[in-house]
Coordinates of all heavy atoms in Angstrom, one line a residue:
M1 N 202.0 102.1 290.2 CA 201.3 102.8 289.1 C 199.8 102.5 289.2 O 198.9 103.3 288.9 CB 201.9 102.4 287.7 CG 201.3 103.2 286.6 SD 201.7 104.9 286.7 CE 201.0 105.5 285.3
G2 N 199.5 101.3 289.6 CA 198.1 100.9 289.7 C 197.3 101.6 290.7 O 196.1 101.9 290.6
R3 N 198.0 102.0 291.8 CA 197.4 102.8 292.9 C 197.0 104.2 292.4 O 196.0 104.8 292.8 CB 198.3 102.9 294.1 CG 198.4 101.6 294.8 CD 199.3 101.7 296.0 NE 199.3 100.5 296.8 CZ 199.7 100.3 298.0 NH1 200.2 101.4 298.6 NH2 199.7 99.2 298.6
V4 N 197.9 104.8 291.6 CA 197.6 106.1 291.0 C 196.4 106.1 290.1 O 195.5 107.0 290.2 CB 198.9 106.7 290.3 CG1 198.5 108.0 289.6 CG2 200.0 106.8 291.2
I5 N 196.3 105.1 289.3 CA 195.2 105.0 288.4 C 193.9 104.7 289.2 O 192.9 105.3 288.9 CB 195.4 103.8 287.4 CG1 196.6 104.2 286.4 CG2 194.2 103.5 286.6 CD1 197.0 103.1 285.5
A6 N 194.0 103.9 290.2 CA 192.8 103.7 291.1 C 192.4 104.9 291.8 O 191.2 105.2 291.9 CB 193.1 102.6 292.1
A7 N 193.3 105.7 292.2 CA 193.0 107.0 292.9 C 192.3 108.0 292.0 O 191.3 108.6 292.3 CB 194.2 107.6 293.6
V8 N 192.9 108.1 290.8 CA 192.3 109.0 289.8 C 190.9 108.6 289.4 O 190.0 109.4 289.3 CB 193.2 109.2 288.6 CG1 192.6 109.9 287.4 CG2 194.5 109.9 289.0
F9 N 190.8 107.3 289.1 CA 189.5 106.7 288.8 C 188.5 106.9 289.9 O 187.3 107.2 289.7 CB 189.6 105.2 288.4 CG 188.4 104.6 287.9 CD1 187.8 105.0 286.7 CD2 187.7 103.6 288.6 CE1 186.7 104.5 286.2 CE2 186.6 103.1 288.1 CZ 186.1 103.5 286.9
S10 N 188.9 106.8 291.1 CA 188.0 107.0 292.3 C 187.5 108.4 292.4 O 186.4 108.7 292.6 CB 188.7 106.6 293.6 OG 187.9 106.8 294.7
V11 N 188.4 109.3 292.2 CA 188.0 110.8 292.2 C 187.1 111.1 291.1 O 186.1 111.8 291.2 CB 189.3 111.7 292.2 CG1 188.9 113.1 291.9 CG2 190.1 111.5 293.4
L12 N 187.3 110.5 289.9 CA 186.4 110.7 288.8 C 185.0 110.1 289.1 O 184.0 110.8 288.8 CB 187.0 110.0 287.5 CG 186.2 110.1 286.2 CD1 186.2 111.6 285.8 CD2 186.8 109.3 285.2
L13 N 185.0 109.0 289.7 CA 183.7 108.4 290.1 C 183.0 109.3 291.1 O 181.7 109.5 291.0 CB 183.8 107.0 290.6 CG 184.1 105.9 289.6 CD1 184.3 104.6 290.4 CD2 183.0 105.7 288.6
L14 N 183.7 109.8 292.0 CA 183.2 110.7 293.0 C 182.6 112.0 292.4 O 181.4 112.4 292.7 CB 184.2 111.1 294.0 CG 183.8 111.9 295.2 CD1 182.9 111.1 296.1 CD2 185.0 112.4 296.0
L15 N 183.3 112.5 291.4 CA 182.7 113.7 290.7 C 181.5 113.4 289.9 O 180.6 114.2 289.9 CB 183.8 114.4 289.9 CG 185.0 115.0 290.6 CD1 186.1 115.4 289.7 CD2 184.6 116.1 291.5
V16 N 181.5 112.3 289.2 CA 180.3 111.9 288.4 C 179.1 111.7 289.3 O 178.0 112.0 289.0 CB 180.7 110.7 287.5 CG1 179.4 110.1 286.9 CG2 181.7 111.0 286.5
S17 N 179.4 111.1 290.5 CA 178.3 110.8 291.4 C 177.7 112.1 291.9 O 176.5 112.2 292.1 CB 178.7 109.9 292.6 OG 179.6 110.6 293.4
M18 N 178.5 113.1 292.2 CA 178.0 114.4 292.7 C 177.2 115.1 291.6 O 176.2 115.7 291.8 CB 179.1 115.3 293.2 CG 179.6 114.9 294.5 SD 180.7 116.1 295.2 CE 182.3 115.3 294.9
Y19 N 177.7 114.9 290.3 CA 176.9 115.5 289.2 C 175.5 114.8 289.1 O 174.5 115.5 288.8 CB 177.7 115.3 287.9 CG 177.0 115.7 286.7 CD1 176.9 117.1 286.4 CD2 176.5 114.8 285.8 CE1 176.2 117.5 285.3 CE2 175.8 115.2 284.7 CZ 175.7 116.6 284.4 OH 175.0 117.0 283.3
L20 N 175.5 113.5 289.3 CA 174.2 112.8 289.2 C 173.3 113.2 290.3 O 172.1 113.2 290.1 CB 174.5 111.3 289.2 CG 175.0 110.6 288.0 CD1 175.2 109.1 288.2 CD2 174.1 110.9 286.8
F21 N 173.8 113.5 291.5 CA 173.0 114.0 292.5 C 172.3 115.3 292.1 O 171.1 115.5 292.4 CB 173.8 114.3 293.8 CG 174.2 113.0 294.5 CD1 175.4 113.0 295.2 CD2 173.5 111.8 294.5 CE1 175.8 111.9 295.9 CE2 173.9 110.7 295.2 CZ 175.1 110.7 295.9
G22 N 173.0 116.2 291.5 CA 172.4 117.4 291.0 C 171.4 117.2 289.9 O 170.4 117.9 289.8
V23 N 171.8 116.4 289.0 CA 170.9 116.2 287.8 C 169.6 115.5 288.2 O 168.6 115.7 287.5 CB 171.7 115.3 286.7 CG1 170.8 114.8 285.6 CG2 172.8 116.1 286.1
A24 N 169.6 114.7 289.2 CA 168.4 114.0 289.7 C 167.3 114.9 289.9 O 166.1 114.5 289.7 CB 168.7 113.1 290.9
F25 N 167.5 116.1 290.3 CA 166.4 117.0 290.6 C 166.0 117.8 289.4 O 165.1 118.6 289.5 CB 166.9 118.0 291.7 CG 167.1 117.3 293.1 CD1 168.4 117.0 293.5 CD2 166.0 116.9 293.8 CE1 168.6 116.4 294.7 CE2 166.2 116.2 295.0 CZ 167.5 116.0 295.5
Q26 N 166.7 117.6 288.3 CA 166.3 118.4 287.1 C 165.7 117.5 286.0 O 165.1 118.1 285.1 CB 167.6 119.0 286.5 CG 168.2 120.0 287.4 CD 169.5 120.6 286.9 OE1 170.0 120.1 285.9 NE2 170.1 121.5 287.6
V27 N 165.8 116.2 286.1 CA 165.2 115.4 285.0 C 163.7 115.3 285.2 O 163.2 115.5 286.3 CB 165.8 113.9 285.0 CG1 167.3 114.0 284.6 CG2 165.6 113.3 286.3
A28 N 163.0 115.1 284.1 CA 161.5 115.0 284.1 C 161.0 113.8 284.8 O 160.0 113.8 285.5 CB 161.0 115.2 282.7
S29 N 161.6 112.6 284.5 CA 161.1 111.4 285.1 C 162.4 110.5 285.4 O 163.4 110.6 284.8 CB 160.2 110.6 284.1 OG 160.9 110.3 283.0
G30 N 162.2 109.6 286.4 CA 163.3 108.7 286.8 C 164.2 109.3 287.7 O 165.4 109.0 287.7
Q31 N 163.8 110.3 288.5 CA 164.7 110.9 289.5 C 165.3 110.0 290.4 O 166.5 110.1 290.8 CB 163.9 112.0 290.3 CG 163.4 113.2 289.5 CD 162.0 112.9 289.0 OE1 161.4 111.9 289.2 NE2 161.4 114.0 288.4
A32 N 164.5 109.0 290.9 CA 165.0 108.0 291.9 C 166.1 107.2 291.3 O 167.1 106.9 292.0 CB 163.9 107.1 292.4
F33 N 166.0 106.8 290.0 CA 167.0 106.0 289.4 C 168.3 106.7 289.2 O 169.4 106.2 289.4 CB 166.5 105.4 288.0 CG 165.4 104.5 288.2 CD1 164.1 104.8 287.7 CD2 165.5 103.3 288.8 CE1 163.0 104.0 287.8 CE2 164.4 102.4 289.0 CZ 163.2 102.7 288.4
V34 N 168.2 108.0 288.8 CA 169.4 108.8 288.7 C 170.1 109.0 290.0 O 171.3 108.9 290.1 CB 169.1 110.2 288.0 CG1 170.3 111.0 287.9 CG2 168.5 109.9 286.6
F35 N 169.3 109.3 291.0 CA 169.8 109.5 292.4 C 170.5 108.3 292.9 O 171.6 108.3 293.5 CB 168.7 110.0 293.3 CG 169.2 110.5 294.6 CD1 169.7 111.8 294.7 CD2 169.2 109.7 295.7 CE1 170.2 112.3 295.9 CE2 169.7 110.1 296.9 CZ 170.2 111.4 297.1
M36 N 169.8 107.1 292.7 CA 170.4 105.9 293.2 C 171.7 105.5 292.4 O 172.6 104.9 293.0 CB 169.4 104.7 293.1 CG 168.3 104.8 294.1 SD 168.9 104.9 295.8 CE 169.7 103.3 295.9
G37 N 171.7 105.9 291.1 CA 173.0 105.7 290.4 C 174.1 106.5 291.0 O 175.2 106.1 291.1
G38 N 173.8 107.7 291.4 CA 174.8 108.6 292.1 C 175.2 107.9 293.4 O 176.4 108.0 293.8
V39 N 174.3 107.4 294.2 CA 174.6 106.7 295.4 C 175.5 105.5 295.2 O 176.5 105.3 295.9 CB 173.3 106.3 296.2 CG1 173.6 105.4 297.4 CG2 172.6 107.5 296.7
L40 N 175.2 104.7 294.2 CA 176.0 103.6 293.9 C 177.4 103.9 293.4 O 178.4 103.3 293.8 CB 175.3 102.7 292.8 CG 174.1 102.0 293.3 CD1 173.4 101.3 292.1 CD2 174.4 101.0 294.4
L41 N 177.5 105.0 292.6 CA 178.8 105.4 292.2 C 179.6 106.0 293.4 O 180.8 105.8 293.4 CB 178.7 106.5 291.1 CG 178.4 106.0 289.7 CD1 178.3 107.1 288.7 CD2 179.4 105.0 289.2
M42 N 178.9 106.7 294.3 CA 179.6 107.2 295.5 C 180.2 106.1 296.3 O 181.3 106.1 296.8 CB 178.6 108.0 296.3 CG 179.2 108.6 297.6 SD 180.2 110.1 297.4 CE 179.1 111.3 296.9
C43 N 179.4 105.0 296.5 CA 179.8 103.9 297.3 C 181.0 103.2 296.6 O 182.0 102.8 297.2 CB 178.7 102.9 297.4 SG 177.4 103.4 298.5
L44 N 180.9 103.1 295.3 CA 182.0 102.5 294.5 C 183.3 103.3 294.6 O 184.4 102.8 294.7 CB 181.6 102.3 293.1 CG 182.6 101.5 292.2 CD1 182.7 100.1 292.7 CD2 182.0 101.5 290.7
S45 N 183.1 104.6 294.6 CA 184.3 105.5 294.6 C 185.0 105.4 296.0 O 186.2 105.7 296.1 CB 183.9 106.9 294.3 OG 183.2 107.5 295.4
F46 N 184.3 105.1 297.0 CA 184.9 104.9 298.3 C 185.4 103.5 298.5 O 186.4 103.2 299.2 CB 184.0 105.2 299.5 CG 183.8 106.7 299.7 CD1 182.7 107.4 299.4 CD2 184.9 107.5 300.2 CE1 182.5 108.7 299.5 CE2 184.8 108.8 300.4 CZ 183.6 109.4 300.0
F47 N 184.8 102.5 297.9 CA 185.2 101.1 298.0 C 186.5 100.8 297.3 O 187.3 100.0 297.8 CB 184.1 100.2 297.4 CG 184.4 98.8 297.4 CD1 184.5 98.0 298.5 CD2 184.7 98.2 296.1 CE1 184.8 96.6 298.4 CE2 185.1 96.9 296.0 CZ 185.1 96.1 297.2
L48 N 186.7 101.4 296.1 CA 187.9 101.1 295.3 C 189.2 101.4 296.0 O 190.0 100.5 296.1 CB 187.8 101.8 293.9 CG 187.0 101.1 292.9 CD1 187.0 102.0 291.6 CD2 187.6 99.8 292.5
P49 N 189.4 102.6 296.5 CA 190.6 102.8 297.2 C 190.8 101.9 298.4 O 192.0 101.5 298.7 CB 190.6 104.3 297.6 CG 189.5 104.9 296.9 CD 188.6 103.8 296.5
I50 N 189.8 101.7 299.2 CA 189.9 100.8 300.4 C 190.3 99.4 299.9 O 191.2 98.8 300.5 CB 188.6 100.8 301.1 CG1 188.3 102.2 301.8 CG2 188.6 99.7 302.2 CD1 187.0 102.3 302.4
H51 N 189.7 98.9 298.9 CA 190.0 97.6 298.4 C 191.4 97.5 297.7 O 192.1 96.6 298.0 CB 188.9 97.1 297.4 CG 189.1 95.7 296.9 ND1 188.9 94.7 297.7 CD2 189.4 95.2 295.7 CE1 189.1 93.6 297.0 NE2 189.5 93.9 295.8
V52 N 191.7 98.5 296.9 CA 193.0 98.5 296.2 C 194.2 98.8 297.1 O 195.2 98.1 297.1 CB 193.0 99.4 295.0 CG1 194.3 99.6 294.4 CG2 192.0 98.9 294.0
F53 N 194.0 99.8 298.0 CA 195.1 100.2 298.8 C 195.2 99.3 300.0 O 196.3 99.3 300.7 CB 194.9 101.7 299.3 CG 194.9 102.7 298.2 CD1 194.2 103.8 298.3 CD2 195.6 102.4 297.0 CE1 194.2 104.8 297.2 CE2 195.6 103.3 296.0 CZ 194.9 104.5 296.1
G54 N 194.2 98.6 300.4 CA 194.3 97.7 301.5 C 195.2 96.5 301.3 O 195.7 95.9 302.3
K55 N 195.4 96.1 300.1 CA 196.2 94.9 299.8 C 197.7 95.4 299.6 O 198.0 96.3 298.9 CB 195.8 94.2 298.5 CG 194.4 93.6 298.6 CD 194.0 92.9 297.4 CE 192.6 92.3 297.5 NZ 192.2 91.7 296.3
R56 N 198.6 94.7 300.2 CA 200.0 95.0 300.1 C 200.8 93.9 299.5 O 200.5 92.8 299.5 CB 200.6 95.4 301.4 CG 200.0 96.6 302.0 CD 200.5 96.9 303.3 NE 199.8 98.1 303.8 CZ 200.4 99.2 304.1 NH1 201.7 99.4 304.0 NH2 199.7 100.2 304.6

């Protein structure tokens, strides 16, 4: 059950990171911070399944 929750959470993080990539070009100030937040969430969304599914 933990793997399913991790997979759903990972996909959710991936979608939020893609949303942040798009929003970064629309905000008035702080574009770099919003974009870097998207990059960090993207990295986390790929790290979680590798870390969770890698342990048996």
Side-chain angles (χ1 to χ4, degrees):
M1 186 67 179
R3 290 183 175 192
V4 173
I5 293 171
V8 169
F9 186 66
S10 176
V11 170
L12 181 67
L13 284 177
L14 185 69
L15 293 174
V16 170
S17 69
M18 284 192 259
Y19 176 74
L20 285 178
F21 287 149
V23 168
F25 295 103
Q26 297 174 356
V27 294
S29 64
Q31 295 93 353
F33 294 116
V34 175
F35 190 82
M36 286 305 295
V39 169
L40 290 174
L41 283 180
M42 178 79 69
C43 292
L44 187 63
S45 72
F46 283 110
F47 172 76
L48 276 177
I50 292 171
H51 182 69
V52 171
F53 299 150
K55 296 181 180 180
R56 293 180 185 241

